[in-house]
Amino acid sequence: MKKNSYFLLMLAVVVAMLLPACSGNKTADAGDLLATIPSDASLVVVVNSGALLEKADCKVSDDKIEPGADVKALLERMNTSDSAGKIEKLLADGTGIDPTVMAVFQVGYYYYITGFLADPAKFKEAVEKDYTGSFSTEDGIDICANVAVSNSRFWINMEQGSIDSKEIKHFTALDTSQSFLNNNYSDNLKEFSKDVEGWGNINGMLNTAGLSFQDRATAQVTIQTLFEDASSFTFSIEFDKGVASLEAEILNSKGKVAKFQLPTKELDVETVASVGGTSRILAALSMPAKMISKLTKEVSSKSPSVLGEYLKVLQGVDGTAACAMGTDGAMRGVITTSGNNIGMLTDVLGQSGINVNKEGNILRLSKGEASGPGDVATLSKDFKGAMFGLAISDFSGTPYEKYGFTQSVLKLIPDGDGIQIDLQCKVADENDNILLTLIRKL
């Protein structure tokens, strides 16, 4: 396979996924894709390519794609000298891909992209132009390197330069009981209105995450302590003007929202705001005494742990705790207590070089001069209704700095018996779709 071939094809597919053929107001029907994804898949993600194409400012007719100015500039930046113009020409001539809806799924350690073909012959021709060799038929499946075609469907193995024809044949022969359509959550993914929606099996993802046995066991114990019968998770992503939003929830083995097993209480926003000033990072957590008591009981019933020792320190906490952080360990914070059993907590804080001032049942904390671009009083309003909030206003020195994020807010929100996970990432230009902003930064 040529050095740039896999990159060129993958980028063409991704561009097709990020460009729209239909109105974003329509739902995408992914049922035919799910029917050929096995029920034991660890991760299934469906992409509303139609909606995303519009947001990437591209035009699509049949299988031909006319990149918008930002996507065209990205392709030019990413092209190497010996492949200049190849991707753009490939898109303009037509890849044969039907860009209405696509899916990414994981089986074992392999990730696959799959979708529909408007013109299988043209797709094969496009693949063969950039791959050494040509398609051959194995087990009734047309194979070229890591690309497989069966009738009007394609699969790409994202993990290696080859693809197993027997595996693909197995995918095409699944009945309903063997496919993802048998999953309790399949109806939610068959027709969806968000840009991206997905489902993942918790144990399956942990087993293939490259974690040690001890780390996997710790993660599993933690999840099962927090959630009753936690089995899977779901998420959706939406790209809007100036912001990208992610929502996620933990589900039980019946496909229902898993019960969060600890007592919860919403953050006292006024207490968070009382930290004052500015910060790079603001974190806040509601810790009612009942939560700490139950968590202590759960942990003590198991083997001794570091968490158990921390919980001993927190015995006097009862309410909202918040911390505004700057650079070099500088911080300001507040902890609401019951007024009792706080000696161990104040000792530990003091040993960490943190100044502690007691105001009734409130502990005021400080260390150095914490500052940053985020106004604490303003950020605290974003935490309303949440039991936990984390706001980052300065990404300098992080891998995300290059994307131009100005603020990211993560919240855990009590939702019935469960917990909704909400993440928003913002960029400076509130009038520009964040997808275009991200494309310009790549």
Side-chain angles (χ1 to χ4, degrees):
M1 189 168 32
K2 296 179 185 178
K3 180 179 180 181
N4 295 310
S5 300
Y6 178 73
F7 167 76
L8 289 172
L9 179 65
M10 286 299 299
L11 185 55
V13 171
V14 171
V15 169
M17 293 174 71
L18 295 180
L19 314 176
C22 59
S23 170
N25 294 325
K26 294 183 179 180
T27 58
D29 184 357
D32 289 341
L33 292 180
L34 300 180
T36 56
I37 296 176
S39 58
D40 62 351
S42 298
L43 178 70
V44 179
V45 182
V46 289
V47 181
N48 193 341
S49 320
L52 287 178
L53 282 171
E54 285 182 352
K55 293 180 178 182
D57 197 25
C58 298
K59 297 179 181 179
V60 175
S61 58
D62 298 324
D63 65 326
K64 297 180 181 180
I65 301 170
E66 182 183 337
D70 294 308
V71 173
K72 187 174 181 178
L74 171 64
L75 297 179
E76 292 173 351
R77 290 197 301 273
M78 299 184 78
N79 276 339
T80 58
S81 58
D82 64 339
S83 64
K86 274 190 175 183
I87 301 175
E88 189 176 344
K89 186 176 187 305
L90 181 65
L91 298 175
D93 290 344
T95 62
I97 297 173
D98 178 351
T100 53
V101 60
M102 295 186 188
V104 177
F105 64 98
Q106 179 188 17
V107 175
Y109 288 90
Y110 293 145
Y111 286 87
Y112 296 89
I113 289 179
T114 184
F116 300 108
L117 294 174
D119 189 332
K122 184 178 288 186
F123 177 74
K124 292 179 184 178
E125 181 183 353
V127 172
E128 290 178 341
K129 282 182 179 178
D130 287 306
Y131 279 71
T132 300
S134 58
F135 277 91
S136 60
T137 302
E138 303 174 23
D139 302 302
I141 306 296
D142 295 333
I143 300 289
C144 180
N146 62 335
V147 182
V149 174
S150 177
N151 297 319
S152 60
R153 289 283 305 280
F154 75 88
W155 292 262
I156 299 175
N157 186 328
M158 300 168 65
E159 298 299 311
Q160 58 181 25
S162 62
I163 195 164
D164 188 341
S165 60
K166 289 182 172 58
E167 184 84 334
I168 302 302
K169 187 174 180 63
H170 170 65
F171 294 162
T172 64
L174 298 172
D175 61 34
T176 302
S177 65
Q178 299 171 314
S179 76
F180 191 78
L181 292 177
N182 193 45
N183 188 290
N184 292 322
Y185 200 74
S186 65
D187 285 345
N188 299 75
L189 296 187
K190 281 199 309 186
E191 293 189 359
F192 64 102
S193 57
K194 297 292 181 68
D195 293 336
V196 178
E197 293 198 25
W199 171 94
N201 178 277
I202 293 174
N203 286 337
M205 295 297 293
L206 288 175
N207 289 337
T208 58
L211 301 174
S212 67
F213 175 81
Q214 183 175 354
D215 288 341
R216 290 201 308 272
T218 300
Q220 289 168 341
V221 168
T222 301
I223 292 170
Q224 295 303 328
T225 297
L226 296 177
F227 295 92
E228 183 180 278
D229 186 29
S231 176
S232 60
F233 62 92
T234 64
F235 64 91
S236 64
I237 304 173
E238 192 83 358
F239 297 95
D240 293 312
K241 288 185 176 182
V243 61
S245 303
L246 178 146
E247 293 181 357
E249 286 186 310
I250 304 296
L251 303 183
N252 60 28
S253 58
K254 296 181 180 179
K256 305 295 183 182
V257 175
K259 181 179 179 181
F260 188 71
Q261 302 194 95
L262 300 179
T264 61
K265 188 176 182 180
E266 293 182 3
L267 288 165
D268 185 329
V269 175
E270 291 186 3
T271 298
V272 180
S274 73
V275 172
T278 60
S279 69
R280 296 185 65 194
I281 301 173
L282 176 66
L285 174 64
S286 177
M287 294 189 288
K290 290 182 179 179
M291 173 189 284
I292 296 174
S293 177
K294 184 168 183 179
L295 189 56
T296 301
K297 184 177 179 181
E298 290 288 337
V299 172
S300 63
S301 66
K302 302 175 177 63
S303 58
S305 66
V306 174
L307 178 58
E309 295 303 309
Y310 280 122
L311 289 171
K312 290 179 183 179
V313 175
L314 299 177
Q315 291 304 306
V317 176
D318 185 16
T320 293
C323 178
M325 291 165 273
T327 57
D328 301 325
M331 59 82 69
R332 291 185 315 282
V334 60
I335 300 176
T336 305
T337 74
S338 64
N340 302 312
N341 302 318
I342 60 173
M344 187 180 297
L345 174 60
T346 55
D347 286 346
V348 169
L349 292 171
Q351 291 169 12
S352 301
I354 297 174
N355 297 316
V356 182
N357 291 314
K358 189 173 182 296
E359 299 177 1
N361 290 344
I362 297 291
L363 300 181
R364 298 284 176 187
L365 318 178
S366 63
K367 182 180 181 181
E369 297 293 332
S371 62
D375 179 70
V376 170
T378 301
L379 291 172
S380 65
K381 296 176 183 178
D382 289 333
F383 294 169
K384 184 176 181 180
M387 59 167 286
F388 169 80
L390 174 66
I392 302 174
S393 303
D394 183 359
F395 290 86
S396 58
T398 74
Y400 306 101
E401 180 179 7
K402 66 178 181 180
Y403 297 114
F405 292 135
T406 57
Q407 188 182 103
S408 178
V409 178
L410 172 67
K411 295 184 289 187
L412 302 184
I413 304 170
D415 183 18
D417 288 336
I419 294 291
Q420 178 178 303
I421 303 165
D422 183 283
L423 172 65
Q424 288 193 337
C425 296
K426 300 179 180 180
V427 291
D429 190 345
E430 297 179 355
N431 297 314
D432 197 13
N433 191 289
I434 192 172
L435 190 58
L436 290 175
T437 303
L438 297 178
I439 287 172
R440 295 185 194 116
K441 298 292 183 178
L442 290 175

